[in-house]
PDB file of all heavy atoms in Angstrom:
ATOM      1  N   TYR A   8       0.823  -1.205   0.000  1.00 79.00           N
ATOM      2  CA  TYR A   8       0.000   0.000   0.000  1.00 79.00           C
ATOM      3  C   TYR A   8       0.861   1.261   0.000  1.00 79.00           C
ATOM      4  O   TYR A   8       0.499   2.265  -0.602  1.00 79.00           O
ATOM      5  CB  TYR A   8      -0.954   0.008   1.193  1.00 79.00           C
ATOM      6  CG  TYR A   8      -2.032  -1.038   1.105  1.00 79.00           C
ATOM      7  CD1 TYR A   8      -2.260  -1.908   2.164  1.00 79.00           C
ATOM      8  CD2 TYR A   8      -2.809  -1.174  -0.043  1.00 79.00           C
ATOM      9  CE1 TYR A   8      -3.251  -2.878   2.085  1.00 79.00           C
ATOM     10  CE2 TYR A   8      -3.790  -2.139  -0.134  1.00 79.00           C
ATOM     11  CZ  TYR A   8      -4.010  -2.987   0.926  1.00 79.00           C
ATOM     12  OH  TYR A   8      -4.981  -3.935   0.837  1.00 79.00           O
ATOM     13  N   PHE A   9       1.999   1.201   0.670  1.00 86.00           N
ATOM     14  CA  PHE A   9       2.916   2.336   0.669  1.00 86.00           C
ATOM     15  C   PHE A   9       3.413   2.625  -0.744  1.00 86.00           C
ATOM     16  O   PHE A   9       3.453   3.780  -1.171  1.00 86.00           O
ATOM     17  CB  PHE A   9       4.106   2.063   1.603  1.00 86.00           C
ATOM     18  CG  PHE A   9       5.175   3.108   1.517  1.00 86.00           C
ATOM     19  CD1 PHE A   9       5.015   4.338   2.128  1.00 86.00           C
ATOM     20  CD2 PHE A   9       6.341   2.861   0.801  1.00 86.00           C
ATOM     21  CE1 PHE A   9       5.998   5.309   2.034  1.00 86.00           C
ATOM     22  CE2 PHE A   9       7.332   3.827   0.703  1.00 86.00           C
ATOM     23  CZ  PHE A   9       7.163   5.059   1.321  1.00 86.00           C
ATOM     24  N   LYS A  10       3.803   1.583  -1.470  1.00 82.00           N
ATOM     25  CA  LYS A  10       4.304   1.755  -2.830  1.00 82.00           C
ATOM     26  C   LYS A  10       3.222   2.327  -3.743  1.00 82.00           C
ATOM     27  O   LYS A  10       3.486   3.232  -4.544  1.00 82.00           O
ATOM     28  CB  LYS A  10       4.805   0.416  -3.386  1.00 82.00           C
ATOM     29  CG  LYS A  10       6.074  -0.060  -2.729  1.00 82.00           C
ATOM     30  CD  LYS A  10       6.469  -1.428  -3.242  1.00 82.00           C
ATOM     31  CE  LYS A  10       7.730  -1.917  -2.571  1.00 82.00           C
ATOM     32  NZ  LYS A  10       8.149  -3.235  -3.040  1.00 82.00           N
ATOM     33  N   ILE A  11       2.022   1.803  -3.636  1.00 81.00           N
ATOM     34  CA  ILE A  11       0.915   2.302  -4.456  1.00 81.00           C
ATOM     35  C   ILE A  11       0.634   3.761  -4.104  1.00 81.00           C
ATOM     36  O   ILE A  11       0.495   4.612  -4.994  1.00 81.00           O
ATOM     37  CB  ILE A  11      -0.344   1.428  -4.257  1.00 81.00           C
ATOM     38  CG1 ILE A  11      -0.104   0.025  -4.812  1.00 81.00           C
ATOM     39  CG2 ILE A  11      -1.557   2.071  -4.933  1.00 81.00           C
ATOM     40  CD1 ILE A  11      -1.168  -0.986  -4.440  1.00 81.00           C
ATOM     41  N   GLY A  12       0.584   4.060  -2.815  1.00 86.00           N
ATOM     42  CA  GLY A  12       0.330   5.429  -2.376  1.00 86.00           C
ATOM     43  C   GLY A  12       1.415   6.393  -2.820  1.00 86.00           C
ATOM     44  O   GLY A  12       1.128   7.522  -3.239  1.00 86.00           O
ATOM     45  N   LEU A  13       2.663   5.955  -2.765  1.00 88.00           N
ATOM     46  CA  LEU A  13       3.782   6.795  -3.189  1.00 88.00           C
ATOM     47  C   LEU A  13       3.652   7.189  -4.657  1.00 88.00           C
ATOM     48  O   LEU A  13       3.837   8.354  -5.015  1.00 88.00           O
ATOM     49  CB  LEU A  13       5.109   6.067  -2.948  1.00 88.00           C
ATOM     50  CG  LEU A  13       6.367   6.804  -3.389  1.00 88.00           C
ATOM     51  CD1 LEU A  13       6.554   8.089  -2.598  1.00 88.00           C
ATOM     52  CD2 LEU A  13       7.578   5.902  -3.251  1.00 88.00           C
ATOM     53  N   VAL A  14       3.332   6.235  -5.489  1.00 86.00           N
ATOM     54  CA  VAL A  14       3.196   6.527  -6.921  1.00 86.00           C
ATOM     55  C   VAL A  14       2.044   7.509  -7.161  1.00 86.00           C
ATOM     56  O   VAL A  14       2.172   8.448  -7.949  1.00 86.00           O
ATOM     57  CB  VAL A  14       3.006   5.230  -7.741  1.00 86.00           C
ATOM     58  CG1 VAL A  14       2.602   5.537  -9.168  1.00 86.00           C
ATOM     59  CG2 VAL A  14       4.282   4.412  -7.717  1.00 86.00           C
ATOM     60  N   TYR A  15       0.934   7.335  -6.463  1.00 87.00           N
ATOM     61  CA  TYR A  15      -0.191   8.252  -6.645  1.00 87.00           C
ATOM     62  C   TYR A  15       0.125   9.652  -6.117  1.00 87.00           C
ATOM     63  O   TYR A  15      -0.289  10.647  -6.711  1.00 87.00           O
ATOM     64  CB  TYR A  15      -1.468   7.691  -6.014  1.00 87.00           C
ATOM     65  CG  TYR A  15      -2.086   6.610  -6.862  1.00 87.00           C
ATOM     66  CD1 TYR A  15      -2.112   5.293  -6.422  1.00 87.00           C
ATOM     67  CD2 TYR A  15      -2.609   6.896  -8.112  1.00 87.00           C
ATOM     68  CE1 TYR A  15      -2.665   4.292  -7.214  1.00 87.00           C
ATOM     69  CE2 TYR A  15      -3.163   5.903  -8.909  1.00 87.00           C
ATOM     70  CZ  TYR A  15      -3.182   4.605  -8.448  1.00 87.00           C
ATOM     71  OH  TYR A  15      -3.725   3.627  -9.241  1.00 87.00           O
ATOM     72  N   ILE A  16       0.901   9.738  -5.041  1.00 91.00           N
ATOM     73  CA  ILE A  16       1.312  11.062  -4.536  1.00 91.00           C
ATOM     74  C   ILE A  16       2.250  11.735  -5.534  1.00 91.00           C
ATOM     75  O   ILE A  16       2.113  12.933  -5.818  1.00 91.00           O
ATOM     76  CB  ILE A  16       1.976  10.928  -3.145  1.00 91.00           C
ATOM     77  CG1 ILE A  16       0.919  10.582  -2.098  1.00 91.00           C
ATOM     78  CG2 ILE A  16       2.714  12.211  -2.765  1.00 91.00           C
ATOM     79  CD1 ILE A  16       1.488  10.183  -0.748  1.00 91.00           C
ATOM     80  N   LEU A  17       3.188  10.979  -6.087  1.00 90.00           N
ATOM     81  CA  LEU A  17       4.081  11.537  -7.109  1.00 90.00           C
ATOM     82  C   LEU A  17       3.290  11.994  -8.337  1.00 90.00           C
ATOM     83  O   LEU A  17       3.568  13.052  -8.906  1.00 90.00           O
ATOM     84  CB  LEU A  17       5.145  10.505  -7.502  1.00 90.00           C
ATOM     85  CG  LEU A  17       6.227  10.219  -6.470  1.00 90.00           C
ATOM     86  CD1 LEU A  17       7.066   9.019  -6.904  1.00 90.00           C
ATOM     87  CD2 LEU A  17       7.092  11.435  -6.243  1.00 90.00           C
ATOM     88  N   PHE A  18       2.312  11.203  -8.726  1.00 88.00           N
ATOM     89  CA  PHE A  18       1.469  11.561  -9.873  1.00 88.00           C
ATOM     90  C   PHE A  18       0.728  12.871  -9.585  1.00 88.00           C
ATOM     91  O   PHE A  18       0.631  13.745 -10.444  1.00 88.00           O
ATOM     92  CB  PHE A  18       0.485  10.420 -10.162  1.00 88.00           C
ATOM     93  CG  PHE A  18      -0.189  10.514 -11.490  1.00 88.00           C
ATOM     94  CD1 PHE A  18       0.488  10.155 -12.647  1.00 88.00           C
ATOM     95  CD2 PHE A  18      -1.488  10.952 -11.600  1.00 88.00           C
ATOM     96  CE1 PHE A  18      -0.124  10.234 -13.884  1.00 88.00           C
ATOM     97  CE2 PHE A  18      -2.114  11.032 -12.827  1.00 88.00           C
ATOM     98  CZ  PHE A  18      -1.431  10.672 -13.977  1.00 88.00           C
ATOM     99  N   LEU A  19       0.231  13.017  -8.381  1.00 90.00           N
ATOM    100  CA  LEU A  19      -0.451  14.246  -7.978  1.00 90.00           C
ATOM    101  C   LEU A  19       0.504  15.437  -8.009  1.00 90.00           C
ATOM    102  O   LEU A  19       0.127  16.531  -8.452  1.00 90.00           O
ATOM    103  CB  LEU A  19      -1.051  14.069  -6.582  1.00 90.00           C
ATOM    104  CG  LEU A  19      -1.842  15.233  -6.023  1.00 90.00           C
ATOM    105  CD1 LEU A  19      -3.080  15.501  -6.884  1.00 90.00           C
ATOM    106  CD2 LEU A  19      -2.263  14.941  -4.594  1.00 90.00           C
ATOM    107  N   LEU A  20       1.746  15.239  -7.576  1.00 89.00           N
ATOM    108  CA  LEU A  20       2.745  16.312  -7.634  1.00 89.00           C
ATOM    109  C   LEU A  20       3.063  16.722  -9.068  1.00 89.00           C
ATOM    110  O   LEU A  20       3.302  17.903  -9.341  1.00 89.00           O
ATOM    111  CB  LEU A  20       4.018  15.888  -6.903  1.00 89.00           C
ATOM    112  CG  LEU A  20       3.912  15.776  -5.384  1.00 89.00           C
ATOM    113  CD1 LEU A  20       5.201  15.201  -4.803  1.00 89.00           C
ATOM    114  CD2 LEU A  20       3.586  17.121  -4.768  1.00 89.00           C
ATOM    115  N   ILE A  21       3.059  15.762  -9.983  1.00 88.00           N
ATOM    116  CA  ILE A  21       3.253  16.089 -11.400  1.00 88.00           C
ATOM    117  C   ILE A  21       2.128  17.009 -11.866  1.00 88.00           C
ATOM    118  O   ILE A  21       2.366  18.020 -12.538  1.00 88.00           O
ATOM    119  CB  ILE A  21       3.279  14.821 -12.279  1.00 88.00           C
ATOM    120  CG1 ILE A  21       4.486  13.970 -11.994  1.00 88.00           C
ATOM    121  CG2 ILE A  21       3.251  15.198 -13.768  1.00 88.00           C
ATOM    122  CD1 ILE A  21       4.442  12.611 -12.652  1.00 88.00           C
ATOM    123  N   ILE A  22       0.910  16.656 -11.523  1.00 87.00           N
ATOM    124  CA  ILE A  22      -0.244  17.450 -11.948  1.00 87.00           C
ATOM    125  C   ILE A  22      -0.194  18.845 -11.334  1.00 87.00           C
ATOM    126  O   ILE A  22      -0.421  19.845 -12.030  1.00 87.00           O
ATOM    127  CB  ILE A  22      -1.557  16.721 -11.595  1.00 87.00           C
ATOM    128  CG1 ILE A  22      -1.683  15.466 -12.466  1.00 87.00           C
ATOM    129  CG2 ILE A  22      -2.766  17.624 -11.791  1.00 87.00           C
ATOM    130  CD1 ILE A  22      -2.798  14.541 -12.090  1.00 87.00           C
ATOM    131  N   ILE A  23       0.139  18.935 -10.058  1.00 88.00           N
ATOM    132  CA  ILE A  23       0.208  20.239  -9.397  1.00 88.00           C
ATOM    133  C   ILE A  23       1.291  21.120 -10.027  1.00 88.00           C
ATOM    134  O   ILE A  23       1.050  22.295 -10.327  1.00 88.00           O
ATOM    135  CB  ILE A  23       0.449  20.072  -7.877  1.00 88.00           C
ATOM    136  CG1 ILE A  23      -0.790  19.473  -7.223  1.00 88.00           C
ATOM    137  CG2 ILE A  23       0.821  21.401  -7.226  1.00 88.00           C
ATOM    138  CD1 ILE A  23      -0.577  19.019  -5.786  1.00 88.00           C
ATOM    139  N   SER A  24       2.468  20.561 -10.262  1.00 86.00           N
ATOM    140  CA  SER A  24       3.535  21.354 -10.885  1.00 86.00           C
ATOM    141  C   SER A  24       3.170  21.728 -12.320  1.00 86.00           C
ATOM    142  O   SER A  24       3.502  22.828 -12.784  1.00 86.00           O
ATOM    143  CB  SER A  24       4.874  20.617 -10.829  1.00 86.00           C
ATOM    144  OG  SER A  24       4.834  19.412 -11.570  1.00 86.00           O
ATOM    145  N   GLY A  25       2.460  20.860 -13.013  1.00 83.00           N
ATOM    146  CA  GLY A  25       1.993  21.177 -14.363  1.00 83.00           C
ATOM    147  C   GLY A  25       0.981  22.316 -14.364  1.00 83.00           C
ATOM    148  O   GLY A  25       0.995  23.180 -15.248  1.00 83.00           O
ATOM    149  N   ILE A  26       0.106  22.331 -13.365  1.00 84.00           N
ATOM    150  CA  ILE A  26      -0.870  23.421 -13.254  1.00 84.00           C
ATOM    151  C   ILE A  26      -0.149  24.740 -12.991  1.00 84.00           C
ATOM    152  O   ILE A  26      -0.488  25.769 -13.592  1.00 84.00           O
ATOM    153  CB  ILE A  26      -1.902  23.111 -12.139  1.00 84.00           C
ATOM    154  CG1 ILE A  26      -2.814  21.972 -12.592  1.00 84.00           C
ATOM    155  CG2 ILE A  26      -2.722  24.348 -11.788  1.00 84.00           C
ATOM    156  CD1 ILE A  26      -3.714  21.412 -11.502  1.00 84.00           C
ATOM    157  N   PHE A  27       0.871  24.710 -12.119  1.00 83.00           N
ATOM    158  CA  PHE A  27       1.655  25.928 -11.889  1.00 83.00           C
ATOM    159  C   PHE A  27       2.313  26.412 -13.175  1.00 83.00           C
ATOM    160  O   PHE A  27       2.325  27.609 -13.463  1.00 83.00           O
ATOM    161  CB  PHE A  27       2.719  25.703 -10.811  1.00 83.00           C
ATOM    162  CG  PHE A  27       2.208  25.832  -9.417  1.00 83.00           C
ATOM    163  CD1 PHE A  27       2.312  24.759  -8.540  1.00 83.00           C
ATOM    164  CD2 PHE A  27       1.629  27.003  -8.961  1.00 83.00           C
ATOM    165  CE1 PHE A  27       1.849  24.860  -7.244  1.00 83.00           C
ATOM    166  CE2 PHE A  27       1.158  27.120  -7.660  1.00 83.00           C
ATOM    167  CZ  PHE A  27       1.261  26.042  -6.799  1.00 83.00           C
ATOM    168  N   LEU A  28       2.861  25.493 -13.950  1.00 79.00           N
ATOM    169  CA  LEU A  28       3.480  25.868 -15.222  1.00 79.00           C
ATOM    170  C   LEU A  28       2.466  26.481 -16.176  1.00 79.00           C
ATOM    171  O   LEU A  28       2.759  27.453 -16.871  1.00 79.00           O
ATOM    172  CB  LEU A  28       4.151  24.653 -15.877  1.00 79.00           C
ATOM    173  CG  LEU A  28       5.471  24.208 -15.272  1.00 79.00           C
ATOM    174  CD1 LEU A  28       5.909  22.891 -15.884  1.00 79.00           C
ATOM    175  CD2 LEU A  28       6.524  25.276 -15.467  1.00 79.00           C
ATOM    176  N   ALA A  29       1.273  25.921 -16.220  1.00 78.00           N
ATOM    177  CA  ALA A  29       0.234  26.456 -17.102  1.00 78.00           C
ATOM    178  C   ALA A  29      -0.204  27.853 -16.656  1.00 78.00           C
ATOM    179  O   ALA A  29      -0.488  28.715 -17.489  1.00 78.00           O
ATOM    180  CB  ALA A  29      -0.963  25.513 -17.131  1.00 78.00           C
ATOM    181  N   LYS A  30      -0.247  28.075 -15.356  1.00 82.00           N
ATOM    182  CA  LYS A  30      -0.698  29.367 -14.822  1.00 82.00           C
ATOM    183  C   LYS A  30       0.293  30.493 -15.088  1.00 82.00           C
ATOM    184  O   LYS A  30      -0.111  31.621 -15.290  1.00 82.00           O
ATOM    185  CB  LYS A  30      -0.961  29.273 -13.313  1.00 82.00           C
ATOM    186  CG  LYS A  30      -2.081  28.350 -12.938  1.00 82.00           C
ATOM    187  CD  LYS A  30      -3.408  28.966 -13.209  1.00 82.00           C
ATOM    188  CE  LYS A  30      -4.495  28.022 -12.712  1.00 82.00           C
ATOM    189  NZ  LYS A  30      -5.742  28.238 -13.369  1.00 82.00           N
ATOM    190  N   ILE A  31       1.598  30.179 -15.077  1.00 80.00           N
ATOM    191  CA  ILE A  31       2.581  31.250 -15.247  1.00 80.00           C
ATOM    192  C   ILE A  31       2.792  31.637 -16.700  1.00 80.00           C
ATOM    193  O   ILE A  31       3.404  32.649 -16.983  1.00 80.00           O
ATOM    194  CB  ILE A  31       3.934  30.904 -14.582  1.00 80.00           C
ATOM    195  CG1 ILE A  31       4.554  29.661 -15.193  1.00 80.00           C
ATOM    196  CG2 ILE A  31       3.794  30.796 -13.099  1.00 80.00           C
ATOM    197  CD1 ILE A  31       5.927  29.329 -14.664  1.00 80.00           C
ATOM    198  N   GLY A  32       2.288  30.854 -17.623  1.00 71.00           N
ATOM    199  CA  GLY A  32       2.350  31.247 -19.035  1.00 71.00           C
ATOM    200  C   GLY A  32       3.626  30.834 -19.732  1.00 71.00           C
ATOM    201  O   GLY A  32       4.371  29.985 -19.282  1.00 71.00           O
ATOM    202  N   ARG A  33       3.891  31.496 -20.852  1.00 63.00           N
ATOM    203  CA  ARG A  33       4.947  31.076 -21.771  1.00 63.00           C
ATOM    204  C   ARG A  33       6.356  31.252 -21.246  1.00 63.00           C
ATOM    205  O   ARG A  33       7.236  30.495 -21.603  1.00 63.00           O
ATOM    206  CB  ARG A  33       4.824  31.859 -23.077  1.00 63.00           C
ATOM    207  CG  ARG A  33       4.339  31.167 -24.291  1.00 63.00           C
ATOM    208  CD  ARG A  33       4.385  29.704 -24.408  1.00 63.00           C
ATOM    209  NE  ARG A  33       5.679  29.061 -24.342  1.00 63.00           N
ATOM    210  CZ  ARG A  33       5.865  27.775 -24.226  1.00 63.00           C
ATOM    211  NH1 ARG A  33       4.861  26.958 -24.150  1.00 63.00           N
ATOM    212  NH2 ARG A  33       7.053  27.258 -24.172  1.00 63.00           N
TER     213      ARG A  33
END
């Protein structure tokens, strides 16, 4: 469960950092 949770947390961090990149523009 730790391994599964870790991957999902990392996936969430990818999405969050991607949203920040989209918000700041070009």
Side-chain angles (χ1 to χ4, degrees):
Y8 291 129
F9 173 77
K10 290 176 181 180
I11 293 169
L13 178 64
V14 169
Y15 283 112
I16 289 170
L17 288 171
F18 194 77
L19 182 63
L20 290 174
I21 293 170
I22 292 171
I23 291 169
S24 63
I26 289 170
F27 278 121
L28 284 172
K30 296 284 184 203
I31 61 175
R33 252 340 299 169

